[in-house]
Each structure stands twice: as C-alpha cells, then as structure tokens.
Amino acid sequence: MSDDTPPMVLVDYLTKHYSTLKSRMTRLLGNGDLAGDALQDTWLRVHSREDAEPIQSPAGYLLRIAVNIAVDIQRRQGRSLSFDEVAELMDMADPAPGPEQLVEARSRMTAMRQMIDRMPRRRRQVVLMVHWDGLEQKEVARRLGVSLRTVESDLKRAHDHLIARKDR
C-alpha cells in the first residue's frame, strides 16, 4: 500500500488474512493462544488508529504490531522473551518487494506493453478492454461492433501470442 492507508483497510486486511497471520505468529511465538491474543489486540489498536502514516506492507506492519503486543502481554504475565528472541522477531523478513523485484516487474510490464502495442489494432483493443478495463467479452463485442465469437478469437490469439513471446 502506498500513500495514506486508512485504518479500515488494515482492519479488512487483518480480517481477511487472520488465519495466515495467526499461523505465522504461532510459529514465531510458539504459542497459539498468545498469537490469538496479540492479533485480537492488534485488531483493536488498528481499528482505533487515527494517524495517516503511509504503510508499504500491511502484513509486515500488522505482524510487527502483534509481536510488540505479544511481548507486552508476556511482560505483564511475567514471562518475557529474551533479547535474542525479540531481535529474531523484529528481524522478520518484510514481504514487500525490494528494489530488485520492482525493477524486474517494471521491466516485464514494459515488455508486455510493447508486445500488446505491436498487436493488430482490434486485437489490442480487445485485450485492453477485457484485461485493463475489466469489461465482459459481450460488452467488448457490442462496443467494437463485432460478434462475440470474433472477440473470443482475438482474445485467444492475443493470449497465445503473449504466452509464446513470454516463453522466449
């Protein structure tokens, strides 16, 4: 996520990915109950979040909050983590793509766009309308004044062309 990340986006992310986050927390903490308690408190904290600080990785952000809460819970319960355990938890890999992956993705997108730009005009229009604009094939056929079968054929040819070029 770039720019401002509203609290509800984080709450939705936490809700949708709860089981995955809980599994990761359980592995990190070695305690499923503590992981569940930490994620519950994380939900409450995120739900009441008021700042508009940009967040690049919701998963990493939520896990870091949950780890900090778990440490607080253990301190309150008199069982604190060792310095090494806390350091290990804080050094969790950030799932956000690094600069290398971003450059590679941009390069692949540029190559894909160039392949699409080289297609015949109608085929290019079909691909963009279906995949970029999200239109149904029937709507694309209506807008271009062609049959549904023509749209299906153009789309298949475009896909075959892109797959063949990608494999090179």
Side-chain angles (χ1 to χ4, degrees):
M1 305 204 165
S2 56
D3 301 328
D4 296 342
T5 307
M8 291 314 297
V9 172
L10 290 171
V11 170
D12 290 344
Y13 186 92
L14 179 58
T15 303
K16 289 178 185 172
H17 297 81
Y18 179 83
S19 61
T20 303
L21 292 168
K22 184 173 181 190
S23 295
R24 287 180 71 183
M25 286 294 296
T26 300
R27 279 192 309 264
L28 289 168
L29 300 171
N31 183 331
D33 292 335
L34 179 59
D37 290 346
L39 285 172
Q40 176 64 31
D41 287 356
T42 300
W43 186 91
L44 292 170
R45 185 173 295 174
V46 169
H47 195 64
S48 64
R49 181 175 179 254
E50 293 180 9
D51 62 337
E53 173 184 326
I55 297 170
Q56 297 300 316
S57 169
Y61 180 81
L62 293 169
L63 284 172
R64 186 162 299 257
I65 289 175
V67 166
N68 290 337
I69 289 172
V71 170
D72 291 344
I73 290 171
Q74 286 191 326
R75 282 187 188 138
R76 281 194 309 264
Q77 294 175 346
R79 299 176 306 215
S80 55
L81 297 171
S82 72
F83 178 77
D84 291 336
E85 291 171 321
V86 172
E88 183 179 328
L89 291 172
M90 297 306 275
D91 289 336
M92 294 183 305
D94 186 358
E100 202 172 292
Q101 289 94 353
L102 289 174
V103 169
E104 184 179 328
R106 285 185 187 125
S107 175
R108 285 194 315 259
M109 284 300 294
T110 299
M112 176 74 73
R113 184 61 201 205
Q114 289 172 349
M115 285 188 281
I116 291 172
D117 286 344
R118 288 188 208 115
M119 290 180 183
R121 184 174 183 267
R122 187 182 68 215
R123 191 174 303 161
R124 181 177 59 245
Q125 286 178 310
V126 168
V127 168
L128 294 175
M129 292 172 90
V130 169
H131 293 295
W132 185 263
D133 297 334
L135 297 176
E136 292 183 14
Q137 293 177 16
K138 190 181 345 180
E139 177 62 17
V140 172
R142 187 189 67 72
R143 287 187 183 188
L144 295 178
V146 297
S147 70
L148 178 59
R149 179 76 180 122
T150 299
V151 169
E152 290 170 345
S153 176
D154 280 347
L155 199 55
K156 180 174 179 356
R157 286 182 179 162
H159 289 167
D160 291 345
H161 174 77
L162 292 173
I163 289 169
R165 297 281 187 252
K166 180 187 83 91
D167 290 341
R168 289 185 188 169

